[in-house]
Amino acid sequence: MVKYSFTTVSINKNGLISYSSIKSVKQKNVYLNNRLLNLFGLGIKLEMIYVTAGQFIMGASIKEERLSHYLKNENMILFPVLRDLVIQETPQHKVSLKPFYMSKFCITQEQYEFIMGNNPSRSKNEKNPVEQVSWFDATEFCKRLSSKIGVTFSLPSESQWEYACRANTITPFYCGETIAPELAGAVHIVDIYETKMKFGQFNPNAFGLHDMHGSVWEWCADEWHNDYVEAPKNGDVWLKGDNKYSPVRGGPLYSIDTDAFFESHKNYIKKITKNKVLHTKPIISFELGNAFLLLSNTRDPNKKNYCFNSFARSACRGKNERKNCSYDVGFRIVTNHDLDLYL
């Protein structure tokens, strides 16, 4: 057991960034450097952060960007898929959770390869999150790790994930009302296949968890439900849904070179807009391998690069088929055991 001291960051609605040093935290910050270090060998470690029990309001408020943008923009009626994206983050509801441990970072490629014997990631870097893993791959990793350690690990429930991400905040992002590429992992898109992303280099949230905004999408254990009607209020994994799909959370910020991007996708844009004339310049963003047309009226249209941060919000949900192995999807793990008693 060791303490983890860190600095959090906040940003106001005008984009002013400020930092706060935390010398002593109430949360337990647990590094599993002994038994797991020997297990992984050669300095590979898995750091688990203690997340305290508590209550929070899960889901998006009407003030958040995607909701307000949808309600105010009449052109959204052209795209019913965006209506579904709004609905799936509602209704807001109170959830009470018991304490648990969550991995400080997404599972890395070296951790995954040691347990599973392979590294499926498209962009190879042992310290980066493993990606191109299916939900079944992630759950199998948890099973094998649990067997080796003698402690049950699993994917987080969706409510555990959002509670951990928010870290006792009620704003769209744990750092405030907005976020910027300086504060979280952004995918820079020139063409959809040309991306760059940083990991583990940004300040954590108040629980000491890194890359909850930005980085890769992260698998949750739940089965998919189209909204939060009748969602569990105790933090449990939500079953009895569509077990072909599971939620993914914590999507990247998409930084788009609009000129190059629109040029390379103009035929696709023409196809999905069916030659309709839109009043705003469309932004194409790719979520989980599917294209969604988003309307941008909140940024200077003369700016070459556009950073779309809606997918990185604490409340944002993605729907992904469990068998999919996407280049921007990874996972982190949790355990409900008191690790002080086991390790």
Side-chain angles (χ1 to χ4, degrees), residues 127-199:
K127 300 300 183 183
N128 280 0
V130 66
E131 21 92 354
Q132 294 198 149
V133 288
S134 69
W135 182 91
F136 300 104
D137 295 330
T139 54
E140 180 63 24
F141 173 92
C142 293
K143 290 177 183 178
R144 295 188 188 185
L145 179 63
S146 301
S147 178
K148 289 180 179 293
I149 301 300
V151 175
T152 301
F153 293 92
S154 67
L155 294 175
S157 70
E158 199 172 4
S159 52
Q160 282 180 319
W161 193 96
E162 186 169 328
Y163 175 71
C165 179
R166 288 187 179 278
N168 295 326
T169 63
I170 59 173
T171 49
F173 305 91
Y174 61 69
C175 54
E177 294 291 340
T178 187
I179 200 166
E182 295 89 347
L183 305 180
V187 175
H188 179 65
I189 301 173
V190 176
D191 185 272
I192 190 61
Y193 299 109
E194 182 182 341
T195 62
K196 296 179 181 179
M197 193 186 299
K198 297 179 180 179
F199 303 97

Side-chain angles (χ1 to χ4, degrees), residues 4 16 41 59 70 84 114 120 130 139 142 146 174 180 187 190 200 210 219 227 237 244 252-253 303 311 314 324 337:
Y4 175 47
L16 181 63
Y70 176 84
D84 296 338
F114 188 88
V130 66
T139 54
C142 293
S146 301
Y174 61 69
V187 175
V190 176
H210 289 256
W219 286 111
D227 54 40
V237 174
K244 185 179 179 181
L253 284 69
K303 287 185 177 180
F311 288 141
S314 300
N324 283 350
H337 289 286

